[in-house]
Amino acid sequence: MSKARTSFARTGAVHVALIAYTLVALFPVFLTIANSFKSRNAIFREPLAFPTPESFSLIGYETVLKQGDFIGYFQNSVVVTVVSIALVLLFGAMAAFALSEYRFRGNTLMGLYLALGIMIPIRLGTVAILQGMVAANLVNTLTALILVYTAQGLPLAVFILSEFMRTVSDDLKNAGRVDGLSEYAIFFRLVLPLVRPAMATVAVFTMIPIWNDLWFPLILAPAETTKTVTLGSQIFIGQFVTNWNAVLSALSLAIFPVLVLYVIFSRQLIRGITAGAVK
C-alpha cells in the first residue's frame, strides 16, 4: 500500500511539474495572440486580459496586410523553411545511413566531426559565410539562406538519424539485398519508413530555428523581395515609436505555421523523442 501511495505521489508530482512547465512555455504565446486582438490602449492598460467587446480591434492585422508585403515575407519564409528541411532530411538521412551501415576508415572520426556542428554555432562563421555568398553572387537571394540553414541543420539530423538507423534490423536489409534491391532502394523503401518518427523529430527541431531566425536574413537577404516573416516584422519597430498592434499581429501570424506543424507531427514527434529516451 505504501509503495502504491509513493508511486501515485511521484506520478502526481511529475504531472504537476509538466503542467506548470507547459503553462510557462505557452504563456508568451497566449500573451502575444491575445494582445494582437486589442487596441493600443488596451494592450498597455490590461496586457494580461482577454480581448473584450470594448478592447477588441483588428487594426494590427489590417496594418500588417496593408503596410509592407507581409504575404511576400510569409511566402519567402515558407519557401526557405520547406526547402531547407527537405534538404536536411534527405542529406542528413543519407549521411546517417552511410555512417551507421558501412564501416570504413575514418567512420568514427567523421561522426565526431559532424557532431561538432551541434556544439559550435554557425553564426561564428558569419563573416566567412558572407564573403562566400558575395563571391558567389548569392546575396539577397533565398538560395543563400537555404544553403546556410541546410548546413546548420545537418549535424543534428545526422546525429539523431544515425542512432535510429542502427536499430533497423540487419536481417531486413540483407533480405532486400538477396531479393536484388539496390542500396538506394533499401534506403528509400526499407529504412526511411522505419525511421519516420526520427524524421519528424528532426523536421520540427530544424524548422523552429529556421522560421524564427533573424540573424542570417538580416545579413544575407535584407532586400525587400527576400525578407522573411521575422525580418519583415521589424518594419513596425521604430527607434522612437513602435506599432505594437502590428508587431503582435505579425508575430501571431508567424506562430501559426509552427503550431500547425506540431499538430500534424505531434504523434511522430513524441514517438521519436520517447524512442530516443529509451535508447
Side-chain angles (χ1 to χ4, degrees):
M1 182 67 69
S2 60
K3 290 184 178 180
R5 290 179 179 177
T6 302
S7 177
F8 179 77
R10 289 180 179 176
T11 302
V14 170
H15 281 82
V16 169
L18 291 175
I19 292 173
Y21 176 79
T22 302
L23 293 176
V24 172
L26 293 180
F27 180 72
V29 178
F30 158 76
L31 205 60
T32 300
I33 296 177
N35 284 295
S36 68
F37 291 100
K38 294 180 183 178
S39 62
R40 182 181 178 87
N41 292 334
I43 292 175
F44 291 97
R45 187 174 60 252
E46 297 177 324
L48 302 180
F50 282 98
T52 62
E54 294 76 19
S55 64
F56 182 82
S57 175
L58 294 176
I59 186 63
Y61 291 95
E62 294 174 359
T63 304
V64 166
L65 296 177
K66 291 180 181 179
Q67 184 176 344
D69 185 16
F70 191 82
I71 301 299
Y73 305 155
F74 195 88
Q75 290 176 347
N76 291 337
S77 289
V78 170
V79 170
V80 170
T81 303
V82 170
V83 176
S84 298
I85 291 176
L87 294 178
V88 167
L89 292 178
L90 175 62
F91 296 139
M94 295 176 73
F97 180 74
L99 291 175
S100 61
E101 181 68 17
Y102 308 118
R103 293 292 176 263
F104 54 88
R105 181 178 297 179
N107 180 291
T108 303
L109 184 61
M110 180 64 70
L112 292 175
Y113 174 74
L114 291 173
L116 287 176
I118 302 175
M119 298 177 283
I120 301 176
I122 193 173
R123 293 182 182 181
L124 293 178
T126 299
V127 175
I129 292 173
L130 179 59
Q131 291 175 342
M133 295 302 174
V134 171
N137 197 27
L138 292 177
V139 176
N140 284 326
T141 64
L142 299 182
T143 303
L145 296 178
I146 291 172
L147 292 176
V148 171
Y149 292 142
T150 301
Q152 174 181 287
L154 278 176
L156 181 63
V158 174
F159 179 78
I160 294 177
L161 294 177
S162 60
E163 293 299 320
F164 276 82
M165 289 185 180
R166 288 190 179 96
T167 65
V168 177
S169 172
D170 291 332
D171 295 335
L172 177 63
K173 291 178 283 189
N174 291 331
R177 294 185 178 99
V178 171
D179 289 340
L181 294 179
S182 65
E183 294 299 308
Y184 286 102
I186 292 173
F187 171 71
F188 284 107
R189 294 171 58 181
L190 299 181
V191 176
L192 283 188
L194 296 177
V195 296
R196 284 183 299 177
M199 300 278 282
T201 303
V202 171
V204 173
F205 285 150
T206 301
M207 174 190 175
I208 294 174
I210 293 176
W211 187 269
N212 295 334
D213 187 40
L214 175 64
W215 180 260
F216 284 114
L218 182 62
I219 300 297
L220 300 178
E224 184 67 22
T225 56
T226 56
K227 281 183 178 178
T228 59
V229 167
T230 309
L231 183 57
S233 300
Q234 303 303 306
I235 65 175
F236 305 113
I237 300 178
Q239 182 178 1
F240 302 105
V241 178
T242 297
N243 190 338
W244 288 110
N245 297 92
V247 171
L248 295 175
S249 299
L251 294 178
S252 298
L253 293 174
I255 292 171
F256 181 73
V258 179
L259 296 178
V260 171
L261 182 72
Y262 177 78
V263 170
I264 294 175
F265 293 105
S266 59
R267 181 175 299 179
Q268 298 289 339
L269 176 63
I270 294 172
R271 286 177 56 190
I273 293 175
T274 53
V278 172
K279 293 183 183 62

